[in-house]
Amino acid sequence: MLEITLVVCTHTHHSAKCNSNNLSLLYLAGTALGVGIVNILHMVNPAMVILSGVLASFYENPVRQIINQRALSSARDIQVMSSELEEPALLGAASMVLDYATRRTY
């Protein structure tokens, strides 16, 4: 039931149908996501962070704010964006398979 409320709130967050409790819950979830991404940034040091899914565009700003507040200075310049692809996870998995399959070991 919570998922349905979040999705409806995201699509209508500019209208009167979405109350402030739903928006604050979404912002809290985006903050938690940002904390997790900061931990990943410190371990992996990726070139960019790509968010996907229905709520990706809503989570961009909270994630950026948390990265600016909590990340090490070397990780703060990371590019955060939302994916416009339909199945970005499948494309990422396919690229990992191709990378592994074409890697040469001597």
Side-chain angles (χ1 to χ4, degrees):
M1 191 61 143
L2 180 63
E3 255 181 64
I4 294 170
T5 304
L6 293 177
V7 172
V8 170
C9 180
T10 301
H11 289 298
T12 62
H13 76 275
H14 293 295
S15 69
K17 293 179 184 177
C18 185
N19 64 28
S20 62
N21 289 336
N22 290 344
L23 286 175
S24 64
L25 184 61
L26 282 173
Y27 189 81
L28 182 64
T31 301
L33 179 64
V35 169
I37 288 174
V38 166
N39 290 330
I40 293 171
L41 289 176
H42 292 159
M43 289 186 295
V44 181
N45 194 22
M48 72 174 56
V49 173
I50 302 173
L51 304 172
S52 66
V54 176
L55 300 173
S57 61
F58 186 83
Y59 286 149
E60 276 186 65
N61 288 332
V63 167
R64 280 190 189 117
Q65 289 176 353
I66 293 299
I67 289 172
N68 288 333
Q69 291 172 1
R70 297 183 178 211
L72 297 173
S73 59
S74 60
R76 287 188 187 145
D77 294 334
I78 189 99
Q79 183 180 4
V80 179
M81 58 190 312
S82 59
S83 174
E84 296 176 8
L85 299 173
E86 290 184 25
E87 296 292 336
L90 292 177
L91 290 174
S95 70
M96 288 176 64
V97 168
L98 286 173
D99 181 52
Y100 181 77
T102 58
R103 189 176 300 151
R104 296 181 186 192
T105 56
Y106 295 99

